[in-house]
Amino acid sequence: MAAYFFLLCGSVLLARLPLKAILLRAAVVLPFSATFACVSLLSGTTERAIGIPVKSFLSALGVLLVVATTPLPQILKALESLGAPRIALLVIQFLYRYLFVIFEQAQHMRLAAKCRGGFGGGHRSKFKAAAGALAVLFGRSYERAEGIHQAMLARGFDGHLRLLSTGRIRAVDVAFLTAAVAIPLAFRIGAGR
Amino acid sequence: MPDPVIQVRGLRYTYDDGTVALNGIDFDLYPGETVALLGANGSGKTTFVLHLNGLLHGSDSVIVCGLPVIAANLPEVRRKVGVVFQDSDEQLFMPTVLEDVAFGPLNLGLSPEEAIARARKSLEQAGIASALHKSPYHLSAGEKRRVAIAGVLAMVPDILVLDEPTTYLDPPGQRELLALLRQLPQAKIVVTHDMQFARAIASRAVFFEKGKIAAAGSVDELVSRFHWRSE
């Protein structure tokens, strides 16, 4: 386990990512896995109780490393080729494309509210104003979704999304894959001796 | 005179809430010409252009290149009429520029290789080939507009419809857009409030008022007749 941890930390540093921030972010999974670890501990399987949080932390670290170093379109393509449901991938794709646009819109609304005194008053009126802003944002997002659908129809969309498969396996990918499989395997064999 | 590429007769359309948006529109567009659609907000211009590739269906006839705009003809009609929407963010929905521009050709049944070739060609035509692998979110307003036009050009349309194409563009962006549109040989319909742009691009104009075409003529004639200037 320690070897895997150092391998992942080394990869994080190699990718020039902030190690401390990544470790903290990966630790988000610990409260959840700790619950299951407690159950395992109470049932008397100490080894599993230690294994659950450690494995979940390492998995989260691995996922963060992939997400932070790979463009989302490539991740989605990889998930598609692994057989992930197409509809889920489409939702993620659209979410990724429009999340920033909606966030920008929310920022503009916040700024406009601030210019006119912000969400002033007590907690109750603040909550009311924020709820109103959220409703407007939802309305705008819905309108945008309608607009996007029209734009898709205008370019021949018939309900079936056809995508380009531009991904090509290159020599560097083969080298990476070999290393990614061989190194943990070597750790595993080494630990077994 | 050649046959019109778009022929509209007696078009009416009422929204679900009862608002009469179009109230008997007669309109012809001839090959190679550019017509500006002028008029106040809510006068029916955008509703009208959405009928031209079957995004809305009103009563009476809309004929595109000899094809009635009915459900059976929609794939061909949508290939022939390319619509560039006012908000480019709504038009650029794929993760990368290449994938977005290739979206239309793929829907036409082209293979991925052919779609990529088409996308590259139309991005070059629109002068934005350098953005091929960028995310649309990271482009400027002018670049987004060019990519949106490339997405439509990739379908090799006979007619281009542009809804408020100068919105969000700075003056250099507007100049570049004008130069680009002048190069394109297709017949064009341009919905605009920008009279300078309309004068520069349109060979004639029609003025929408309360869901009807109130007048037709040159941009200058309509501007002076309807006092349609900001200063």
Side-chain angles (χ1 to χ4, degrees), chain A residues 73 76-77 93-94 96-98 100-101 104 143-158 160-166 168, chain B residues 50 53 55-56 78 81 83 85 87 89-96 98-104 106-107 112-113 115-116 136-137 151-152 155:
Chain A
L76 292 180
K77 273 187 191 117
Q93 181 182 308
F94 276 79
Y96 171 71
R97 169 68 185 91
Y98 286 103
F100 301 106
V101 178
E104 215 169 67
E143 240 172 47
R144 188 176 284 282
E146 291 278 303
I148 294 162
H149 187 233
Q150 278 197 335
M152 291 172 84
L153 291 176
R155 285 199 282 156
F157 179 64
D158 57 4
H160 178 71
L161 200 73
R162 298 163 184 89
L163 298 171
L164 288 176
S165 30
T166 49
R168 295 269 184 281
Chain B
L50 293 180
N53 74 349
L55 291 171
L56 291 177
R78 287 177 179 163
V81 182
V83 182
F85 289 80
D87 186 348
D89 266 325
E90 286 178 358
Q91 192 154 357
L92 308 179
F93 41 79
M94 298 300 276
T96 65
L98 174 66
E99 285 169 283
D100 202 280
V101 178
F103 178 82
L106 286 172
N107 286 332
E113 291 73 25
I116 290 173
Y137 179 71
V152 167
M155 298 189 71

Side-chain angles (χ1 to χ4, degrees), chain A residues 59-76:
Chain A
S59 305
L61 198 58
V63 168
L64 280 174
L65 180 63
V66 171
V67 170
T69 53
T70 317
L72 192 81
Q74 284 182 28
I75 293 177
L76 292 180

Side-chain angles (χ1 to χ4, degrees), chain B residues 142-211:
Chain B
E143 288 172 328
K144 280 183 192 172
R145 189 57 45 89
R146 279 175 181 270
V147 174
I149 292 172
V152 167
L153 290 178
M155 298 189 71
V156 197
D158 295 327
I159 301 141
L160 278 177
V161 176
L162 300 111
D163 191 2
E164 301 280 1
T166 53
T167 313
Y168 309 127
L169 296 187
D170 54 20
Q174 292 181 15
R175 270 203 311 275
E176 286 170 14
L177 177 70
L178 185 64
L180 167 64
L181 293 178
R182 278 178 170 160
Q183 284 171 21
L184 302 174
Q186 286 90 348
K188 298 174 205 76
I189 294 176
V190 182
V191 176
T192 186
H193 289 304
D194 182 340
M195 290 308 110
Q196 208 178 337
F197 185 77
R199 271 191 204 100
I201 191 133
S203 42
R204 66 183 174 96
V206 294
F207 195 92
F208 274 67
E209 205 170 51
K210 294 176 184 166

